[in-house]
Amino acid sequence: MTARTLDGQKIRDQIFAELSDEVRLLTAAGVRPGLAAVLVGENPASQLYVKSKIAACQQLGLSSALLTPPATVSTLHLLAVVEDLNRDNDVDGILVQLPLPPQVDTKRILEAVDPAKDVDGFHPVNLGRLVSGRPGLVACTPAGCMEILRRNDIKIEGANAVVLGRSDIVGKPMALLLMHANATVTICHSKTRGLPDLLRRADIIVAAMGKAGYLEADWIKPGAAVIDVGTNRITDHKEAERLFHGFPDRLEKFRAKGSALVGDVHPGAVNIAGALTPVPGGVGPTTIAMLMSNTVKAARLRRASPKFSATQSTTSAR
Ligand code: GUN
């Protein structure tokens, strides 16, 4: 049996169609939602990500601004950049692309973002709201994974879900979202013992540990839904042979190009899982869709309640 493809592009298109109606209504009422992206230095992967986020704003009719401080920027200078954006009434969403250079105190920067404009959902206030099940802005990648599950009618309630990876950005919020949707959640990481047996009990697996093809196909329960958050570029021929054994077309493409994108799940999972996100074209597009959704939501909430922003600012950890 071949796994059903969980097409992230299709879901992104659905969400964009829903949002474009809302953007039209807001814009007609004189409120054009706006996103400001802060891209520090010249990391090619970050440049690519931010470019697609700005392109999404343009496609939806949101205003966007791109700030590009140099890689040598100090924490204090970056704090000043964020403060300016906090005060700018035309900016509804602030996104500081990660990773930041080593001299910058990343946590301090993320805590400086006004929680009402925190469209990445990284601020401790928004994380706290997620923990306690109160409305707030939720991190885009885990929120996108939930959309993939829900819009494909994958039953979450009562399911055994395993989240592989415990990052602040994906693993932890993902586990909370699944728990709030009444799944029984196990969080696994590099020190977990007996991982294959834990995974074999899972109806839903979310793989987010950032290791190319780490999750072997025979660790998956036949028919399970597998969400692959990883995006890893491989260049090693031996690794390509391990991963693309049984996929001659992909191996051929790798040989021609010298590299390939693979997820955290071994491609052989397609023969065991019941449903699987492709890489690329699975989680990535839904992450961008949720960023747009958060920006529109932030614009709506800030205008609906002018106090929303100010109140949240005073409670932010500064
Ligand atoms: N770097 C990797 N993923 C993300 C993300 O979702 N948001 C930001 N700001 N940076 C990232």
Side-chain angles (χ1 to χ4, degrees), residues 53 95-98 120 122:
K53 292 170 183 178
L95 171 144
V96 182
Q97 186 66 27
L98 301 181
D120 258 328
F122 294 165

Side-chain angles (χ1 to χ4, degrees), residues 15-186:
I15 295 171
F16 270 33
E18 292 158 15
L19 286 175
S20 70
D21 289 340
E22 196 174 349
V23 172
R24 211 173 307 120
L25 286 173
L26 280 168
T27 307
V31 177
R32 187 174 180 218
L35 175 72
V38 181
L39 171 63
V40 177
E42 289 172 10
N43 175 329
S46 292
Q47 284 174 328
L48 210 63
Y49 287 135
V50 170
K51 197 173 153 195
S52 29
K53 292 170 183 178
I54 301 279
C57 286
Q58 287 162 351
Q59 189 183 336
L60 270 176
L62 271 58
S63 70
S64 59
L66 175 60
L67 293 91
T68 55
T72 53
V73 72
S74 66
T75 300
L76 284 182
H77 185 91
L78 207 49
L79 281 174
V81 169
V82 168
E83 290 295 353
D84 276 351
L85 295 172
N86 283 345
R87 278 190 295 269
D88 187 337
N89 206 35
D90 291 335
V91 171
D92 295 296
I94 301 170
L95 171 144
V96 182
Q97 186 66 27
L98 301 181
L100 293 172
Q103 80 278 9
V104 174
D105 184 341
T106 300
K107 287 211 159 133
R108 227 178 132 191
I109 299 300
L110 297 180
E111 288 187 15
V113 174
D114 181 345
K117 299 188 178 190
D118 171 37
V119 284
D120 258 328
F122 294 165
H123 193 286
V125 164
N126 281 316
L127 286 171
R129 287 182 180 137
L130 179 59
V131 170
S132 58
R134 288 164 57 212
L137 295 165
V138 177
C140 303
T141 298
C145 293
M146 293 303 285
E147 292 296 327
I148 291 175
L149 293 170
R150 290 205 171 106
R151 291 175 189 249
N152 283 286
D153 295 321
I154 291 165
K155 191 161 192 284
I156 304 174
E157 184 165 297
N160 284 330
V162 169
V163 177
L164 207 40
R166 53 178 158 179
S167 69
D168 290 348
I169 294 180
V170 184
K172 286 178 200 162
M174 188 73 237
L176 288 163
L177 288 170
L178 287 165
M179 191 178 70
H180 289 318
N182 297 321
T184 302
V185 184
T186 306

Side-chain angles (χ1 to χ4, degrees), residues 183-205:
T184 302
V185 184
T186 306
I187 305 171
C188 298
H189 46 77
S190 55
K191 302 285 190 287
T192 297
R193 272 187 257 139
L195 180 63
D197 285 339
L198 289 169
L199 284 168
R200 283 188 195 112
R201 273 184 247 145
D203 307 301
I204 296 170
I205 296 173

Side-chain angles (χ1 to χ4, degrees), residues 222-263:
V226 181
I227 309 287
D228 190 351
V229 178
T231 317
N232 312 284
R233 183 165 297 281
I234 58 161
T235 52
D236 183 77
H237 283 249
K238 280 232 150 35
E239 193 167 29
E241 275 163 26
R242 174 180 82 85
L243 294 173
F244 298 145
H245 177 77
F247 301 89
D249 291 359
R250 291 188 75 176
L251 193 55
E252 199 50 51
K253 267 197 193 145
F254 170 84
R255 288 199 173 119
K257 204 175 161 206
S259 72
L261 272 190
V262 291

